[in-house]
Amino acid sequence: MKGSVKIALIIVGVIVILGLIFATVYFNKLQTQDYKLNETNEENVNGQILEEIPEEYPLTQAIKDGCLVMGNRVYNMDSLNEFVENTRADNPNRQSDFLRIVMYTIEGDPIITELEYEKDVGYTLRTDNTRDAYGADPKVTVSSDIPSDIYTVELQEDDQTVNIVLQPKEGVSSEKYGPITIDGYSKEATIYGTAPTFEGEVTEVNDKSIVVKTDDQNLGDAVSVEAENAADYKVGDRVKVTYTGTVLETYPAQVYVVDVEKYQE
């Protein structure tokens, strides 16, 4: 009987040891899987900007895509105002929204910032300066722990600048939570709700451009407009041209085109 008990105890001991070994291996495996999963998730988050936006991202394309483009001129201000209205904390219909901000360096390289709000969760801030050829530390940074019950978005003014700020709500401890300034633009900047436009009649069709007759005195009586699909137009068509606001004083005048659309009066 004693021998049977001894054997049973040995068997139980072996089972316990094997169980501990298995549990240790399994736990380590889970840790490894979790680490890899977290790495993958980070890469996916960081890659969102890089995947959606081409490496070459000119001003005209950023305006066309509806980005808030800030510099001496500010384009798509309507997008900013809509984002602030939709996501501010005192809005009873507070809702999810997304804002992409693009600023260009002197050399013309884009610095891209994304501010995303998920209803009842919070804000995520992503910044991508990897296209800045002269940047000291090119990287994509992500801040996702910005809770909606703590923060709201505001436009705050100082003497020279209007800043987009994630501001702790009234009553929140200022020792624990501070304001987060996203970006800003000069009060002297020219502001466009979307971008400037003009209308006119096509008077000439070339391989990759059309000439448009317009009554806009700031443009003169003829404007050369780049159009990759120029063959789709004919003399006499009425068009609406969206452009950056810059006019080259040539004849015909030239503009940096954002979009061209044909319309019927």
Side-chain angles (χ1 to χ4, degrees), residues 199-202 213 236-240 261-263 265:
E199 298 175 359
E201 181 180 318
V202 176
K213 180 182 178 181
D237 284 345
R238 296 289 300 178
V239 294
K240 179 180 179 180
E261 54 184 316
K262 193 186 304 185
Y263 72 95
E265 285 189 309

Side-chain angles (χ1 to χ4, degrees), residues 248-260:
L248 304 181
E249 296 181 358
T250 58
Y251 190 85
Q254 298 179 68
V255 296
Y256 295 104
V257 178
V258 174
D259 195 25
V260 186

Side-chain angles (χ1 to χ4, degrees), residues 30-44:
L30 279 180
Q31 280 190 316
T32 303
Q33 286 179 338
D34 286 343
Y35 175 70
K36 288 181 178 177
L37 180 61
N38 289 336
E39 273 191 336
T40 302
N41 284 343
E42 271 191 11
E43 288 170 1
N44 286 343

Side-chain angles (χ1 to χ4, degrees), residues 33-214:
Q33 286 179 338
D34 286 343
Y35 175 70
K36 288 181 178 177
L37 180 61
N38 289 336
E39 273 191 336
T40 302
N41 284 343
E42 271 191 11
E43 288 170 1
N44 286 343
V45 170
N46 289 355
Q48 285 183 9
I49 297 176
L50 300 178
E51 290 175 3
E52 293 178 6
I53 300 177
E55 196 65 26
E56 298 292 331
Y57 199 51
L59 170 68
T60 52
Q61 188 62 51
I63 297 171
K64 186 174 182 179
D65 290 345
C67 302
L68 174 67
V69 181
M70 299 196 299
N72 292 333
R73 295 187 175 105
V74 177
Y75 304 92
N76 292 315
M77 177 61 78
D78 290 349
S79 297
L80 173 59
N81 292 334
E82 184 176 328
F83 182 85
V84 172
E85 175 62 25
N86 286 342
T87 71
R88 60 184 175 84
D90 60 348
N91 182 350
N93 299 313
R94 196 179 191 187
Q95 57 188 281
S96 300
D97 206 348
F98 174 86
L99 179 69
R100 178 174 287 149
I101 305 167
V102 182
M103 300 182 73
Y104 288 88
T105 65
I106 295 174
E107 296 80 17
D109 298 328
I111 308 295
I112 301 165
T113 301
E114 291 185 338
L115 184 58
E116 184 173 4
Y117 174 73
E118 185 178 352
K119 185 179 179 181
D120 300 327
V121 177
Y123 294 92
T124 297
L125 175 64
R126 307 182 189 95
T127 303
D128 177 5
N129 70 342
T130 59
R131 294 167 179 77
D132 183 3
Y134 297 93
D137 186 19
K139 61 184 177 181
V140 177
T141 58
V142 181
S143 301
S144 56
D145 189 17
I146 309 175
S148 62
D149 59 338
I150 300 295
Y151 282 92
T152 186
V153 63
E154 295 180 355
L155 298 181
Q156 298 180 0
E157 299 185 13
D158 57 31
D159 292 341
Q160 298 179 332
T161 310
V162 179
N163 294 304
I164 306 167
V165 180
L166 287 175
Q167 178 70 30
K169 296 193 297 188
E170 188 175 348
V172 172
S173 170
S174 59
E175 295 181 1
K176 189 174 181 180
Y177 299 98
I180 303 169
T181 300
I182 310 302
D183 262 320
Y185 59 89
S186 170
K187 287 183 174 180
E188 297 181 358
T190 302
I191 308 295
Y192 298 110
T194 50
T197 63
F198 66 87
E199 298 175 359
E201 181 180 318
V202 176
T203 59
E204 183 180 327
V205 178
N206 302 307
D207 288 342
K208 292 187 178 182
S209 67
I210 57 178
V211 176
V212 178
K213 180 182 178 181
T214 173

